[in-house]
Structures are given as C-alpha cells and as structure tokens.
Amino acid sequence: MNEKKRSGKLWLPFVLVLLGACNRSGEPAGEMPALLASVAKTAFNSANNFAPRAAIRQLDSLLSVTANPEAVTGYLHRKARAYLQVGQEDSSRAILESLLQDNLLPLYADPVAVKKDLALTYLRIGEKTNCTNSHSAESCVFPIKGRGIHHDKTGSAKAAELYRSVLEKNPGDLETRWLLNIAYMTMGSYPQCVPPAFLIPGLDNESAEGVKPFADAAIVTGLNTQDMAGGSIVDDFNGDGYLDLVTSGWDLASPMHFFLNRGNGTFEDRSEASGLKSLTGGLNLVQTDYNNDGLKDIFVLRGGWKGRFGKEPNSLLRNNGDGTFTDVTKEAGLLSFHPTQTATWNDFNRDGWLDVFIGNESSDTADNNVCELYINNGNGTFTNIAAQSGANVKSFVKGVTSGDYDNDGWPDLFLSTLNDTKVLL
C-alpha cells in the first residue's frame, strides 16, 4: 500500500509535465507564432526594403571601414532615412543636420534631397509630439483644425522653413508645395501665412455634399491602438447582434487585436483572451464561415509588397464560439509561403462549402508565386486545384473578387494586377 502511494507520488510530477505539454501544444495559435518568428528572422536582411533596422546595422558596419567622403555621405544619408522609418526621428535629424552643415555636401550628395528628408523628419517630430503623444478626436483628421492644430509648433515651423527654401529654387516641386501647405495647416496658419506663390487654395473646404462629417470616436470607444497599417473586419463574431472588430498590422512584430462590442457604444479588448494577440502580421483580413457552423472565421493574408522577403504564411482562424480562435492553417491544408494581400471566398464548385482563391504576387520571372484555388473538402480540409482548373495565374495580383457575371450559376473570378493586366476567369 505504501509502495503504491510512493509510486503515485513519483508519477504525479510526470503526469503534470505531460498535461502542461498537452496544453502548450493545444494553444489556439498552435505552431504559427514560432513559424512567423522564424520568417521574420529570415526577413531581417539589409536587402529587404522593409527591414530598416537591418539596414542600419549594415550601414554601421560599412561606416566603420569606409574613409571615402562620397561613400560616407551616402551611407549617412541612407542611415538617416532608415532611422526615420523606425521612428527614431531625433537620430535622423542629427545626421541630416550635420550633412547640411558640411560645406562639401554638394560634391557628394544632393542637398535638396537632404533638405526634404530633414523637413519630413521635422514634420514627423511635430506629429509625434502633438498627434501621437497628445492625441484627440481631431488629431490627424484632414482638414486639420480645432484640437488637431499642433500646440507645439516647433516641428512644423522647422519643416515649413526648409520647404520654403526648396521651393524658392524649384517652385515646380508639387510634393514639397503640398507638404508646405500641410505644415502651415498644422500650425493653424493656413491659408493666411502661406507664401502666395506656394499657396494651394481650398484645402480647408469642408463641403461634404450633404454627408454628415465623420468624427473620430476611437478614444471614447476603446479602439485607440497604435500600430502599422493592416487589415480590419467589422462583423458579429459572437452572435449577440452587435458588430465586433478585428485588426492586424502588416509587420510580423504587430499583434492582432480583437475588440468585443459591449453593446453600449464601447468595446472590450479581448485580444489576449481570444488567442489573437499571439498572432502577428496581416496586411489584409477576410471573414468567412469555412466549416458551416454559423460562426465567422478569419483568414489572415500576409507578405504583400515584400517580394522575396514576403514569403509569409497565411492563417485560417477557426471561431470556436466561446470568444476564442484557433489557428487551423496547417491541418486545413492551407499552409503555403507566398506574398499576398488578397483573397475571395465563394462556393466555386457549388457543393455548399466555401472555397478560397488567393491572389499571390510574382514580381519577376524568378518568382513562382502562382495564385491558389483551394476547394473545401467539407471536413475541415482543402485541396489546391489551381493548376487543374486554370486558376494558377502568375502575376503581381493586388485585388481579387468573385461573382457570377454571366448568370450561368457558376462563380467567376476577376483579378486586378500591378502591371495593369486584368484577368477574368
């Protein structure tokens, strides 16, 4: 008897370890977070235009072994731009100002380009100081007025000064002219203080053709998050009759968010409880009901615009009906690695189950990112029949939709691509 008790006590820790392992393997996100982290690590490459931190590391290495003034100037200018990309405006400003103070700059670089980058840096400093750190419902809403006007005008004033100097030598620079007018608007001095020669009139015209102006309610409703651009879905995910919100950010360091509608005009952040917070990235989101259970599932599209560094997996997230989602991408047979941001769900074979067409991006002949057409097998899995069906289009696809344009009872596909080619299947 005592031996049995001792044996039971010895086995208990082992059982607990096994249970813990089972719980970990059964986490809603499954293997996807680790897979996304691995892809992100591969994308940390100075050749990747969307990896500025990798560029900074490489430029530091080059600067440590380079003495040629022209090369040093070029590296510093690129480093300043990379700093601006990662949100380190003060570091960018310091480099650009030092370059402008160098009397030899015209021999090695374009002073106008440096000035424009410095002006943009100051605009960003003003935006971060006022719109981000002191955000209000009128911040960043065009035309800028009321509480959207900067209380600290230092950044915009510096930017306006630089833009004026650029326009004095090149009055036909329309981009700079536009940004100059915006800088004055952020200071509350548009149009009266804009130099007449550079004024773009009518930017404060609020005519909306009878449409009631929209007001930014993100702060008061609990939706005020800061992230990169990505996808969004407004739909009723828990079946209570109120529309909820799911968002994503295109960077693989940006977690997804799930906001549950409380039914009183506010939202509750359920990102962590739902299991979505552990999933990152997503340039676009599409809702679907792939398993016909009446619950809205989520399809996450990743990698768009990133070329060879955008070979990121998409995610199919099953709505469990209890406020959580489970990543079923691999078990559903949808795991592939192609840059994309667009897909359409439809019952292409008319068997009562939603299928999915994914428009992938091929930027040159070396990229074999053909489009995919997955037919729903009705058991939680899919089969790619793009090649057999003639849907394996190879192009830089940026938009897809589906519908029965010829009323023959079969869903058709329309693809829009970056090279102006339109495809109707």
Side-chain angles (χ1 to χ4, degrees):
M1 185 69 174
N2 290 337
E3 185 63 31
K4 288 183 179 179
K5 287 183 178 179
R6 284 197 299 271
S7 177
K9 289 179 180 178
L10 288 172
W11 275 98
L12 182 58
F14 182 66
V15 172
L16 291 176
V17 169
L18 284 177
L19 288 173
C22 291
N23 287 337
R24 285 193 296 272
S25 64
E27 288 178 355
E31 302 173 6
M32 189 57 71
L35 185 57
L36 293 172
S38 176
V39 173
K41 186 176 181 180
T42 302
F44 189 83
N45 188 307
S46 59
N48 183 358
N49 291 330
F50 302 104
R53 296 186 189 279
I56 291 171
R57 178 181 293 184
Q58 184 209 35
L59 290 166
D60 281 338
S61 177
L62 292 171
L63 286 165
S64 68
V65 297
T66 303
N68 180 279
E70 183 175 2
V72 168
T73 300
Y75 293 153
L76 286 173
H77 193 185
R78 287 167 55 191
K79 185 178 178 181
R81 286 178 168 175
Y83 271 135
L84 188 58
Q85 281 184 277
V86 300
Q88 296 184 29
E89 292 84 6
D90 286 335
S91 297
S92 177
R93 175 188 55 77
I95 293 175
L96 294 170
E97 287 184 340
S98 69
L99 288 176
L100 285 176
Q101 292 169 6
D102 187 348
N103 294 327
L104 298 179
L105 175 64
L107 298 177
Y108 309 126
D110 180 6
V112 173
V114 175
K115 275 188 178 182
K116 291 172 71 171
D117 284 342
L118 181 57
L120 185 60
T121 299
Y122 272 119
L123 273 185
R124 289 282 300 276
I125 289 173
E127 181 182 28
K128 183 172 287 187
T129 301
N130 297 274
C131 303
T132 304
N133 297 339
S134 302
H135 192 74
S136 74
E138 294 179 281
S139 295
C140 305
V141 177
F142 188 85
I144 300 165
K145 62 179 183 177
R147 289 181 296 166
I149 294 174
H150 293 185
H151 62 272
D152 183 344
K153 299 175 174 55
T154 306
S156 292
K158 289 279 191 179
E161 179 184 347
L162 288 160
Y163 284 137
R164 285 197 306 269
S165 69
V166 171
L167 287 169
E168 285 167 1
K169 294 185 177 180
N170 185 12
D173 187 338
L174 297 181
E175 178 186 79
T176 297
R177 186 178 174 188
W178 164 262
L179 291 172
L180 174 69
N181 281 258
I182 297 301
Y184 276 104
M185 188 178 286
T186 64
M187 294 186 286
S189 51
Y190 171 92
Q192 64 274 18
C193 294
V194 182
F198 308 137
L199 175 66
I200 302 176
L203 295 183
D204 55 352
N205 184 355
E206 296 187 67
S207 173
E209 301 296 333
V211 177
K212 181 181 178 181
F214 289 92
D216 182 0
I219 297 176
V220 296
T221 56
L223 297 175
N224 190 34
T225 60
Q226 295 181 21
D227 215 329
M228 300 185 73
S232 62
I233 298 174
V234 177
D235 213 324
D236 183 5
F237 286 97
N238 63 348
D240 65 353
Y242 289 94
L243 295 177
D244 311 303
L245 177 67
V246 175
T247 66
S248 64
W250 87 316
D251 188 78
L252 289 181
S254 300
M256 293 182 65
H257 294 277
F258 176 45
F259 298 96
L260 191 67
N261 195 325
R262 292 190 176 106
N264 62 359
T266 66
F267 292 81
E268 178 184 357
D269 189 344
R270 301 286 295 172
S271 305
E272 187 167 0
S274 66
L276 294 187
K277 189 174 182 179
S278 60
L279 293 167
T280 59
L283 185 53
N284 193 18
L285 302 174
V286 182
Q287 66 266 56
T288 184
D289 182 11
Y290 81 97
N291 55 359
N292 285 352
D293 64 355
L295 299 170
K296 297 296 183 182
D297 310 300
I298 301 171
F299 194 52
V300 186
L301 296 146
R302 299 186 178 97
W305 295 110
K306 298 179 183 179
R308 65 187 178 96
F309 295 105
K311 294 184 182 297
E312 303 170 3
N314 300 319
S315 282
L316 178 61
L317 308 179
R318 184 185 65 217
N319 187 338
N320 298 319
D322 59 359
T324 67
F325 296 84
T326 297
D327 191 307
V328 295
T329 312
K330 186 175 181 180
E331 64 189 71
L334 293 175
L335 184 62
S336 63
F337 298 84
H338 304 287
T340 182
Q341 71 172 67
T342 184
T344 180
W345 289 79
N346 211 322
D347 185 5
F348 293 106
N349 62 351
R350 303 193 306 183
D351 65 350
W353 297 86
L354 289 177
D355 316 300
V356 60
F357 176 88
I358 305 171
N360 293 321
E361 299 177 2
S362 292
S363 55
D364 54 48
T365 55
D367 285 343
N368 194 32
N369 300 315
V370 296
C371 295
E372 301 162 279
L373 175 58
Y374 288 95
I375 294 299
N376 195 325
N377 298 321
N379 60 359
T381 68
F382 293 78
T383 300
N384 185 8
I385 65 162
Q388 304 94 299
S389 62
N392 57 337
V393 175
K394 184 178 179 180
S395 188
F396 203 102
V397 181
K398 295 308 297 178
V400 301
T401 190
S402 56
D404 183 10
Y405 83 96
D406 54 1
N407 288 337
D408 66 353
W410 294 92
D412 308 296
L413 284 162
F414 184 75
L415 286 64
S416 180
T417 72
L418 190 64
N419 59 2
D420 291 333
T421 300
K422 304 296 185 291
V423 180
L424 178 62
L425 299 175

